[in-house]
Amino acid sequence: MLDPLKMKNRASGLKGALNPKWAFLAVFFGLIALTWQCASIQQPMGGPKDSIPPTIVSENPPNLSRNFSAEKIVIEFDEYIKLSNPLKEISVSPDMSQPISPRVKRKTIEIMIPDSLEPNTTYTINFGKAIGDFNEGNPLPNYSYVFSTGDVIDSLAISGQVVNALTKLPEKEITVMLIPVSQDSIFGKRKANIYTLTDTAGSFRLKNLREDTYRIYALREENNDKIYNSPDELIGFLRDSIVLSKDTAGILLEVSKGIPKDFRLLDRRIDQDGKIRFAFNKRLENPSIRILSPEGLDTTKIVEYTANQDSAMLWVTDLSFDTIHVELADHGKPLDSVIIRRGRNDKYDRDFLLTDNLPRNRVTRSRHIELTSGSPVRSIDRSKIILMEDSVQRTNFQLIRDTTAHRRYILRYNWRPKRNYELVIEEGAFTGYFGDKNKSLSKTFTLEESENFGDILFKVTLPDTLHQYLVQLVSEKLDVVYQSVAIRQSGELPLRRLPGGKYTIRVVYDENNNGRWDPGDVYLRRQPERVWYIGKTFIIRANWEQEETIQVPR
């Protein structure tokens, strides 16, 4: 880089030889050149965000030290660091008589060790995801510092994989915990202190273990406390304990959303239309609702449960009560009772509402018109339902109640292309149980001719007839179930008029014959129901029929 002082002196030396004007210009352009050269070597601003976790430079005493007697451990990193949630993330196995308190000093972590360590014992300080760089917080996962107060370091290991019990896809960043059976604390207040996190492939490895008998769990935590205490947490486990006397590999843990042990009412409220809603924390097998007070309401009530039977809707004839006392039960056994108070100025509008499934004013040969009422229907006056085809009234349509949804009615007709349709539902065509009637409704629509449907015939071979199997057609991403058919014996299974696209087959071994897949129950040590995938996708093409063979394994 040019020196400004030298340039100034050089310019001064030329004064006698150059005109002062030219001398000034020489200095001026020289300064411009100087500025350009200095600016050209500056480091560019911006760039990619730092995503690399800190790297360990040294450990003193060294990791895996034997005959450990140091009073302090110092771990040095290549950059400034910080600790996040140290009380939850950092654990020591086995427990020390006094808790450790790691301290950060710029690029180092210092840990004072109590002088009451057990002799001939291997200690593991597990940092979990506590260590991260100071600026971005990029975590250094699963780092452990291990030392032994004796001549030997425990060296046994357990490894395996965690997958989703329903999709069979690997689960990353799941906490895998190993707990000695003598202190099983998965449900208690004392958190597990032997744990690790799965990687992107769902794989895990726990090392530096001593010979013992353990239980192993996989937990997708909600509150990061290494304790199973929320029904929203995914949990997996082995039915039996592990007697660890040698390295053990191939452990498979399948996680699913657990079933709450105790029933709890999550929500209850009165909607604007007078409907009373209840939400439960778990599915009930045979739910019932009884109105304890006011007297007389229970005999005329109407109750509707959702398909999953984890919530309910209640209609009553009289909404003039101040409070209503309701009891909830399963299989006739009372679970809870609740008093619901209505606001002093609350007013309810019991208008009978009808909605349809014609947002684009189109019907197809497989998707007919669906009419859904906002409250239970007592009667229908078919003469007030008018279907027009090119201005000609048609009466040969079907109107049937949907067996899967009590307030839904399906209107079927042999729809034809290039015709204009109009559906008129006159006022009072539908009457509710409380005397409320619908307002008039009119819709115009046509047939969607560009349908993309195909058929597929599955030839299914089952391994036995001990229980039923659920053959499910699911999306390629495994997140949508299009059809689920329960079968008990081998044979042909036709699936008709499927929208074009990619699908696969999932088979649920429905051992309790309840028509659905059941997750695991950690309290009863019951594993999730078995699931098998055919291992390939099917492409459904328009106006095409194909055959596939399914050999369900034993």
Side-chain angles (χ1 to χ4, degrees):
M1 183 182 297
L2 299 179
D3 189 334
L5 181 60
K6 290 182 179 179
M7 288 189 62
K8 183 177 180 181
N9 292 336
R10 184 180 302 172
S12 300
L14 292 174
K15 275 186 178 182
L18 294 176
N19 185 289
K21 176 181 178 181
W22 294 110
F24 171 77
L25 291 176
V27 173
F28 175 76
F29 286 113
L31 290 173
I32 291 178
L34 171 65
T35 304
W36 180 85
Q37 290 185 39
C38 291
S40 66
I41 64 171
Q42 289 181 355
Q43 185 176 355
M45 301 298 290
K49 182 180 178 180
D50 178 19
S51 61
I52 302 175
T55 300
I56 296 172
V57 175
S58 65
E59 299 158 314
N60 186 29
N63 208 338
L64 302 177
S65 292
R66 294 173 173 82
N67 298 309
F68 184 93
S69 60
E71 297 179 353
K72 181 171 67 173
I73 298 171
V74 179
I75 306 168
E76 184 180 359
F77 297 85
D78 64 342
E79 59 181 315
Y80 290 96
I81 61 164
K82 63 181 177 181
L83 293 178
S84 301
N85 298 320
L87 294 179
K88 291 184 177 181
E89 289 290 343
I90 302 175
S91 67
V92 180
S93 174
D95 291 333
M96 295 181 180
S97 58
Q98 301 174 16
I100 62 171
S101 298
R103 293 191 305 167
V104 174
K105 291 187 176 180
R106 297 188 176 186
K107 297 183 179 181
T108 64
I109 295 176
E110 293 185 359
I111 306 172
M112 301 304 297
I113 302 298
D115 56 5
S116 55
L117 300 179
E118 296 292 331
N120 301 315
T121 301
T122 298
Y123 287 90
T124 300
I125 303 176
N126 189 340
F127 287 86
K129 295 185 293 183
I131 301 173
D133 60 58
F134 186 82
N135 290 323
E136 303 294 342
N138 299 308
L140 176 65
N142 295 334
Y143 170 65
S144 296
Y145 183 91
V146 181
F147 64 89
S148 174
T149 56
D151 296 330
V152 177
I153 287 184
D154 296 330
S155 59
L156 296 179
I158 291 178
S159 61
Q161 187 185 32
V162 178
V163 300
N164 186 283
L166 183 59
T167 66
K168 303 301 181 185
L169 297 176
E171 291 278 355
K172 66 177 181 178
E173 295 187 354
I174 290 280
T175 304
V176 179
M177 299 172 288
L178 199 66
I179 303 175
V181 295
S182 59
Q183 58 184 51
D184 194 337
S185 59
I186 187 67
F187 310 117
K189 296 181 179 179
R190 180 184 175 188
K191 70 177 183 179
N193 54 19
I194 306 175
Y195 59 88
T196 188
L197 292 174
T198 59
D199 59 19
T200 55
S203 301
F204 69 89
R205 180 177 175 82
L206 293 158
K207 53 188 181 179
N208 299 114
L209 305 174
R210 67 171 63 184
E211 290 191 15
D212 205 339
T213 302
Y214 299 93
R215 291 197 180 278
I216 189 168
Y217 300 91
L219 188 63
R220 168 80 70 191
E221 298 185 83
E222 291 289 322
N223 46 18
N224 198 31
D225 59 2
K226 309 299 182 295
I227 296 173
Y228 178 60
N229 50 17
S230 170
D232 292 326
E233 294 178 331
L234 296 181
I235 188 167
F237 54 94
L238 291 187
R239 187 192 310 271
D240 301 317
S241 56
I242 300 174
V243 180
L244 187 63
S245 58
K246 61 180 181 180
D247 287 352
T248 302
I251 299 293
L252 180 64
L253 298 172
E254 297 185 320
V255 295
S256 60
K257 183 174 287 189
I259 300 174
K261 188 176 182 180
D262 300 315
F263 172 84
R264 187 161 57 90
L265 189 61
L266 298 178
D267 187 27
R268 76 273 192 194
R269 68 177 187 271
I270 306 177
D271 288 349
Q272 188 62 37
D273 62 359
K275 175 172 66 264
I276 305 175
R277 290 182 180 269
F278 300 92
F280 318 143
N281 68 330
K282 65 177 182 177
R283 176 191 179 98
L284 300 181
E285 294 297 329
N286 186 20
S288 60
I289 292 178
R290 184 164 65 102
I291 300 176
L292 303 179
S293 66
E295 294 183 3
L297 284 186
D298 187 65
T299 58
T300 59
K301 73 178 185 298
I302 298 174
V303 182
E304 183 180 307
Y305 301 96
T306 56
N308 199 41
Q309 297 190 164
D310 58 0
S311 59
M313 289 169 283
L314 169 67
W315 290 269
V316 296
T317 55
D318 184 6
L319 288 169
S320 63
F321 57 81
D322 293 325
T323 62
I324 183 170
H325 190 189
V326 176
E327 178 187 80
L328 300 104
D330 194 24
H331 291 291
K333 179 182 178 181
L335 299 174
D336 195 4
S337 65
V338 59
I339 295 177
I340 304 174
R341 302 180 186 276
R342 57 173 294 177
R344 179 178 300 177
N345 299 320
D346 285 353
K347 295 181 180 180
Y348 305 110
D349 185 359
R350 269 191 160 161
D351 284 345
F352 191 98
L353 300 177
L354 277 178
T355 57
D356 61 71
N357 64 332
L358 298 173
R360 297 190 306 115
N361 296 329
R362 295 285 190 273
V363 293
T364 69
R365 297 189 187 278
S366 58
R367 190 188 72 243
H368 296 275
I369 298 177
E370 296 177 357
L371 301 171
T372 303
S373 63
S375 58
V377 177
R378 185 179 66 188
S379 63
I380 299 176
D381 186 349
R382 186 184 167 100
S383 67
K384 293 185 177 183
I385 300 176
I386 301 170
L387 178 65
M388 307 293 291
E389 182 182 48
D390 284 343
S391 301
V392 178
Q393 184 171 350
R394 303 299 185 187
T395 58
N396 57 334
F397 61 85
Q398 293 179 324
L399 184 66
I400 59 175
R401 184 178 180 179
D402 191 341
T403 56
T404 62
H406 298 306
R407 290 178 289 111
R408 182 187 300 156
Y409 292 81
I410 302 173
L411 192 151
R412 289 194 177 102
Y413 180 72
N414 184 25
W415 313 108
R416 293 187 286 181
K418 299 179 181 178
R419 302 294 175 94
N420 294 316
Y421 293 95
E422 182 180 11
L423 176 65
V424 178
I425 301 177
E426 297 179 343
E427 185 175 354
F430 287 77
T431 302
Y433 271 92
F434 310 111
D436 41 339
K437 298 179 183 293
N438 70 285
K439 295 181 180 179
S440 61
L441 172 70
S442 177
K443 298 287 292 191
T444 58
F445 53 94
T446 58
L447 174 66
E448 177 67 65
E449 297 183 60
S450 58
E451 290 188 280
N452 180 22
F453 295 101
D455 302 332
I456 189 167
L457 175 65
F458 291 108
K459 295 182 178 180
V460 185
T461 301
L462 300 179
D464 55 55
T465 58
L466 299 177
H467 54 80
Q468 71 180 10
Y469 295 79
L470 306 180
V471 181
Q472 299 181 333
L473 186 73
V474 299
S475 63
E476 185 182 19
K477 295 182 179 180
L478 313 181
D479 56 348
V480 179
V481 179
Y482 290 98
Q483 291 193 34
S484 181
V485 182
I487 61 175
R488 285 183 171 269
Q489 58 186 7
S490 303
E492 294 184 348
L493 178 61
L495 300 181
R496 305 296 186 190
R497 302 194 63 77
L498 302 172
K502 293 183 178 181
Y503 302 87
T504 190
I505 286 292
R506 176 169 70 208
V507 177
V508 176
Y509 294 64
D510 189 16
E511 296 180 353
N512 57 5
N513 302 315
N514 65 355
R516 65 176 184 272
W517 175 77
D518 291 309
D521 190 329
V522 67
Y523 299 103
L524 301 178
R525 313 299 300 178
R526 187 182 67 209
Q527 293 293 315
E529 282 188 319
R530 185 180 170 190
V531 172
W532 173 78
Y533 285 87
I534 197 170
K536 64 178 182 179
T537 57
F538 308 99
I539 300 178
I540 302 297
R541 295 178 173 86
N543 303 316
W544 189 266
E545 184 178 44
Q546 62 194 76
E547 292 185 2
E548 294 288 346
T549 299
I550 301 177
Q551 182 79 38
V552 181
R554 185 172 296 277

